[in-house]
Structures are given as structure tokens and as C-alpha cells.
Amino acid sequence: MIVSLKDMAENWINPMVLASLFVVVTTAPVVGAGSGLDFRRDIQPVLTEYCYDCHADGAKKGDLELDKHKSQSELLGDHKTWLAVWENLRAQMMPPAKKAQPSARQRENLMRWIERDIFKVDPDHPDPGRVTIRRLNRVEYGHTIRDLLGINFDANDEFPADDTGYGFDTIGDVLSISPLLMEKYLSVAEQIVAVAVPTTGPRPPTYRIEGRKFDNAKTLKVSAEWLPFENHLLVEHRSKVPHAGRYRVQVEFRIGGSMEASIHTATLAVRANGKELERESLGWDNRKSIILSTDADLKAGDNTIGLEIIPGNMRDAGENPLRLAVKEVSLQGPLDGKHLTYPKQYLRIFPDGPPPDDLEGRKAYARNVLGRIAGRAFRRPIDEPTLARLVDLAIAVDQQPDVMFEKGIGHAITAILASPRFLFRAEIQPEPNNPGNVVNVDEFALASRLSYFLWSSLPDEQLLELAGKGELRKNLRPQIDRMLADDKSGRFVGNFVGQWLQTRDVETVNIDPRRILGTRDSSKANRVFNRNVRRAMREETEMMFGYLVRENRSALELLDSDYTFLNRDLAGFYGIDGVKNSRMEKVQLPADSHRGSLLTHASFLVVTSNPTRTSPVKRGLFILENLLGTPPPPAPPNVPQLEEITRSNRGKLTMREALAMHREKPLCASCHERFDPLGLALENFNALGQWRDEENGHPIQTDGQLITGEKFNSARELGRILATQRPTDFYRCLTEKLLTFAIGRGMEYYDTPTIDRIVEGMKNSNGEMRGLIYAVVESTPFQKRRGDGDRLLGVR
């Protein structure tokens, strides 16, 4: 079992012991050959000023022994200890918040002395780190199936949620596989092949219409994606078919709006060219997909397909309203068989049509089909023995009585999808157990690293072609530009931002709008805060990040900007006039707007709230951990909850007053001084992210001061200070988050030169986002690898 550096620092070393260990170093002069710092001149005075009062000369704060090591050489060789010292210095966890703090330069010198003189980090030849073989997480699995076989597969419905590490589900160390999960992969492979490999030959063509394309003649606010049971509505779409005849009309839908059974009912009527075809009674139903099928006579050319919702029983008081959500309507025909085609899915697997009749011809065709699919699935050319076994599998099934060739190909593809070469992203290296042997990853592995970083999926044919020629490394920037211009780059935005800024959670987080809005009417609360608004909240943050990447703008605009992305639902929720579009669009904000940075996005404000109230603690911690990269130490055990401290004054105190009472506890004060001012700056925004001026009848005060001394009076000012006076902290945090997501492991001490180089580049370019992505892909950890183990004996 490999223990992470983070776990080691938190569980093996008491942070207070680490400060005391500085005392031992003063027993003899040390010159940092690697750092260029003189210990007595540059290091010892800092330790004397900031550490000795608690951990030297007989002081034993926290019942700590000062002289743990018997000699200086023993101390300097204790890499575990110095690793934890370095981590605490970097996170500004020591000295405690109430103590005098070293300057940024002093803290930097201490860290560099540890890196260069203790860990012997070489900035010119950084350690790329250990790479754990990585299983595809379920998001990557779903996208890989879609891009490989051309079918939509919802892996979230089939697989359990993946574990996360360092805030992301791309971390190799946590992507384990159990026997039960392996059985699930086998079962799912069979399900996928049953859909992806057609075995019925030519058939009537199918035309599909997405639910969002149906609209109402009177209001553009309505589509078939959202039809409330309580409103009588008709939505229609004009669809063109090339041939007149009898068609099969199928409506795929689900019922949403309530997790609990309800008496609410309605009727769905399906129409074609004004004629009613079928009616279906609707009620509460928790199935994920329901199919209504009927037939219709359609003419060649345009036909109007209509879906009508007719109210039935009204819901009881307290019940949530139900609604119909149509995924798609399909038209298949004509059914008389006069116009048959091979479906697109068949030609995707069998681009040359049906197989030859003779055995040798069928074997050759199987080699072509399986070689192409296996090469992409395994993300590198398939070796001859493996391809031969796959062909044998397919032909063995094909030669059975009354079995089609396509069935044999499907059997072989099932084996491909269950193979470790598909499920795991393994990388070939010459000396896998030698941590001193650093090599470039081969170009096929580089193609996979790049495609799973920016597309969450396998490399496309262009990446594999360049890798096969040995030319991908020479063409990285043009390929990055091409990939970011592709719609699939939206997966990178959704997956990275969704986890870094937690926008994944905003649509499902438990929050009580009735309590927050002060109403018992669930319908009224739902009109203010509903599924559409939640989705727009997520899209606002993700679209802004995507815009910065696409237009190569400064990352600092996340902290201070005069625009955002809104649709009419979210604009109405924010109280911003003039936005009429149902689609999200860039909106210039008024000069006096309360919005204007990530700190004012409802997505951030909602996921950092409690179910019934704001949480300045969560909001402040979020800023420290995800924007500044300086998380405070874990809370000590048995700390009383805020509600317990303020119970007797419930409903009378503002949040600022309640937190002031909480900080009267000595156990709570030192940490809360770091994050309370940050969270309180956002108190004008309630737990749903709406603006407010008062709390419990008192004006809200949002002024505060960073631990480093900068003062602010509002959320906008806080964002502006972070962007103008603390940009390096934000660049470093963003760089660490992006590297962690991209390479599938947490940042370690030996990544410091890489991070420093990227941050310096961002400072020189004013934080250009495209430059950051280039730098991550071109970095040593992304480009290289070494054998397992650690160069510093005993660190792990």
C-alpha cells in the first residue's frame, strides 16, 4: 500500500512538533549549497524570531519534546519531518495566526532551503514523479464508449461513484477495481455491444427529434424538455421525411419534479399533422426512461409532430408539481420495407457493408474491423498475437449454425471492452522499478494523456496518426488549439471546473428555498429556485471559464470582471434587467452591479451554504483552499457547532455577531481569523445567492481584512484585491489544481520547480489561460515519467 505524502504529513507528524524541530538545527552551522542561503545568516534568525518562544529554552507548548533527534545529521536526514515542515510553511499554517508572521521572503527562503538543501531538488532536472496505472473513471468510460462506438452510454447509471483524491476523480491512487466492479464491466460490455453492433441488416431509416426542439407558438419559454402537469400546453416541431408512408412514432420521456409519490396526474396526447394518434395517462413514475409508441401516416416533406399535455388531478398541498421531460421523438419508416438502409451505426462498425461470403474473406474483413476498433480502444497499435486471438473469437462465433457475422464481431468487441488494455491507461517504460531512470513517455501515451486531459476520452485518429509518426511532441501547441476548438473540450471545462469549483454539485445540493425565502408555499419557492435556475448557475461559472480558455483571456477575470454569462432565468433570479434569451449569453454588467466575479456567482454561493442559511465558514474555507491554496489546519476535535453556541439568541444575531461569539472560544479563534473575514464579505448574498441588505432586521456589514493585512468592504472589493494584490497566490493554486487534474496525482515537494516555472510564465503573460494549458502539457510531470519508488529513501 502506498501512503500519500498528504496522509503522512497529517497523520504521522504533529504540526506543532515540526516547529520545535527547528531548534535542533541551530546546534551547528550549515551552508545551503543548493539554495545559496547561509544557515546562520538567512535561516537561523527567522527560526529564532518566530519559533523559539514556544519550542525552545524549556518551553514545551503542546507537551512537545524539543530534542527529538540525537544529532544534526540525523535531523537533516529525516525527510519525513522536513516534508511536513515544508507543507506547513507553504500552507501558512505555522506560526499560528495570532503570532507574528514571517515575511513572504522569509517564508520563501525557508521553503527553498528545505527544497534545495534537504531534498536536493534540481530545478533544471525536476523529478516527474511516480505514475500509478490509471483506471478510466466513469466519466471517462462513458465518453470513451461514445467516441469509440458512437453510442450514448450513461456510465453514471451503471457504475458506482468513483473515489476522489485531492478534490478530483482522476487520481490514479484512488481508482481501484474490485472483483464486483470487474464483473460489472463484463456485464456492461455485453450491454454496450448489443446496442453498438447492429445484427439485423438493413431496415427503415429513423429520424430523431430532440425534446428541446419542440416549442409553443405562443411562448418560447416552453419546450418538450419541461411540460408542467398543471398547464394545458401544446408543443410542436416540423420534421421532414423523404418518403410518404406509414411510420413508427416513438416518444421517449420521463416524469420529474418529485422524489415522492404524488396524486398529481396529466394526459399526454401525441399528434401528427393535427391528428391525434395516441393518448397516455401520466402520473408519478420514477423510471428513468418511458417509451410511448404509435403509428402515423406521414407525407413526403414537412410534417408537424405535436405533443399535448392535458392537466388531470391537481396535486395536494405540500406536494411538488410533476412535469413531463421528453428526451426525443423518433420517426421510423416507411414501414412497408420499400426504402431500406443500413443505419449509421452499422456503417460505423462495418464501413464496407456486409461481409464477403467466403471464409478467408470474412477473416480478412474481421481483421480490418477489429484491428481498427482495438487500436483505438487500446490507444496504440494492436500487436499481431492479440489481433489474431480476437479474429479467432469472431470467426468461431460466425461459423456456428444460424449465427450472423456481426454477432461474432460483437463477441470480439465485448472482449476488447473487458480488457485491461481498455480499462486501464498503462504506460510502457524500460525500467519500471528504477526511480532514478527518467524518460519521456512514448508518443502514444502522450496522446492519451493529452486526450484524457482535454477531452476526457481516447485520442482521435489525428492524434494517433501523429503519435505513430513520432511527430506529436513536435506539434503539441497546434494540437492543443485544435482540441480546445472542438466541442469535446466542453468536457474538460465541465469536469475540471465541476470539481475544482464544485459546480457539479449545484444542481443536486440539498438546500431549502422555502426556509431561505421565508415562505411555506413550495410552488412560490420553486418559481424562484428551480431546476432551470440551478442549471443556469452551473453554466454561468463553466461558461465563463470556457470563455477565458477559448479567448485566451486572463485567469484573473475569474476574480474581477465586469461581465458574466446569463439567460433570462438566471438574470431574473439576480434581478438583472434586459436579458430575454433562454440560452446563456455573455452579458455586460452595470457599473453598480453586485455581480462581477466568481465570488458573486450563485453556483459558488449555493455549494458553500448550509441547507437553511449561509455559511461564512464554508465560503471562507473555499476561498482559502480553492483560490489561494492556503488551507488552514483541520478543526480540532469536539469543537461545538455554531448553532450550539448561539442557540439562546437564535433569530436575533447577525452571522457576524454569531461568529464573533464562536471565536471567543480559544480553540476556535486562531483558525477562524483566517477565513471568517473572507466568508463574511459575502454575507450580502443569501444561501441561494440572491442579494440582501439586512439580516434579522440589522444592516449587513461586509468589511474585513486578510490575514496579510489587505482591507476590503465588499465581495467585489475582495475579488479585486485577490486579483491585484494576491495574483501569485491565485496563479499557484490554479496551477496546482490543473496539474493535479491533468497528471492524476497530488502535488509533491519535487513539483515545486515545475509550479514555479508555470507561475512565472503566468505572471509574465498576465495570467493567459491558453498559456497555462500549454505550460501544463509541456511540463516535466506531463511529458516524462520514472520508475516507481521515491528518490529520497524513506519519504514514502
Side-chain angles (χ1 to χ4, degrees), residues 4-193:
S4 73
L5 298 173
K6 182 175 183 294
D7 289 341
M8 182 183 68
E10 291 181 351
N11 299 325
W12 294 3
I13 305 294
N14 185 313
M16 298 302 291
V17 175
L18 304 177
S20 71
L21 291 173
F22 283 121
V23 177
V24 186
V25 183
T26 66
T27 60
V30 177
V31 177
S35 64
L37 297 169
D38 179 83
F39 180 79
R40 288 197 181 278
R41 183 190 70 224
D42 303 311
I43 304 300
Q44 185 176 11
V46 178
L47 301 178
T48 301
E49 181 176 357
Y50 297 105
C51 303
Y52 281 15
D53 61 335
C54 294
H55 303 288
D57 301 325
K60 296 183 179 180
K61 289 291 182 70
D63 291 328
L64 305 177
E65 296 182 15
L66 301 182
D67 300 324
K68 177 180 178 181
H69 296 83
K70 296 178 181 179
S71 67
Q72 174 184 302
S73 60
E74 180 182 328
L75 172 63
L76 297 183
D78 187 353
H79 294 138
K80 295 176 182 176
T81 293
W82 288 109
L83 172 65
V85 171
W86 179 84
E87 287 190 335
N88 280 274
L89 284 169
R90 182 181 62 163
Q92 300 183 17
M93 290 166 58
M94 293 178 11
K98 283 192 173 182
K99 296 284 186 179
Q101 299 290 313
S103 68
R105 173 58 63 88
Q106 290 171 324
R107 191 180 296 274
E108 185 75 8
N109 283 344
L110 280 172
M111 291 175 60
R112 290 297 171 265
W113 179 76
I114 294 171
E115 292 164 9
R116 309 290 169 82
D117 293 53
I118 301 298
F119 294 143
K120 310 299 183 185
V121 170
D122 183 354
D124 296 324
H125 301 92
D127 182 350
R130 175 182 57 84
V131 177
T132 300
I133 185 172
R134 285 174 56 185
R135 172 177 61 80
L136 301 183
N137 64 35
R138 63 180 185 175
V139 171
E140 293 168 339
Y141 186 98
H143 289 315
T144 299
I145 291 296
R146 185 174 298 109
D147 294 342
L148 175 66
L149 299 176
I151 66 168
N152 290 323
F153 172 74
D154 192 345
N156 292 344
D157 288 344
E158 298 294 341
F159 300 126
D162 295 298
D163 290 333
T164 60
Y166 306 96
F168 296 102
D169 61 9
T170 57
I171 306 302
D173 283 348
V174 302
L175 291 171
S176 58
I177 187 167
S178 65
L180 187 61
L181 183 56
M182 191 64 237
E183 289 182 15
K184 189 65 175 174
Y185 279 128
L186 289 168
S187 171
V188 164
E190 293 174 348
Q191 297 175 37
I192 291 170
V193 166

Side-chain angles (χ1 to χ4, degrees), residues 152 195 203-211 213-214 237-241 250 252 291 327-332 343-345:
N152 290 323
V195 176
R203 57 190 178 187
T206 299
Y207 310 92
R208 304 181 186 280
I209 314 163
E210 295 175 306
K213 293 184 177 180
F214 287 81
H237 178 77
R238 291 171 66 106
S239 182
K240 180 175 290 187
V241 295
Q250 286 194 336
E252 183 180 359
I291 301 292
K327 179 181 179 181
E328 70 173 23
V329 174
S330 63
L331 311 175
Q332 185 183 32
K344 290 182 179 179
Q345 186 59 35

Side-chain angles (χ1 to χ4, degrees), residues 37 62 99 129 147 150 177 200 243 274 313 368 384 405 424 486 510 528 536 574 577 622 640 680 692 763-764:
L37 297 169
K99 296 284 186 179
D147 294 342
I177 187 167
T200 56
H243 305 288
N313 295 332
N368 291 336
E384 179 57 35
F405 174 82
F424 290 89
D486 193 288
N510 179 29
V528 175
Y574 283 168
D577 297 328
F622 187 100
L680 289 170
R692 59 181 182 172
K763 290 163 67 174
N764 293 336

Side-chain angles (χ1 to χ4, degrees), residues 419-469:
S419 168
R421 298 193 202 182
F422 174 73
L423 297 174
F424 290 89
R425 289 170 50 193
E427 296 173 346
I428 300 170
Q429 60 179 334
E431 296 181 73
N433 297 318
N434 179 6
N437 184 32
V438 176
V439 297
N440 283 328
V441 297
D442 70 69
E443 295 229 338
F444 289 109
L446 181 60
S448 286
R449 286 189 175 194
L450 186 59
S451 66
Y452 279 99
F453 174 35
L454 297 181
W455 285 349
S456 296
S457 184
L458 45 69
D460 66 359
E461 292 181 2
Q462 189 170 150
L463 288 174
L464 291 176
E465 182 180 355
L466 285 171
K469 295 177 180 178

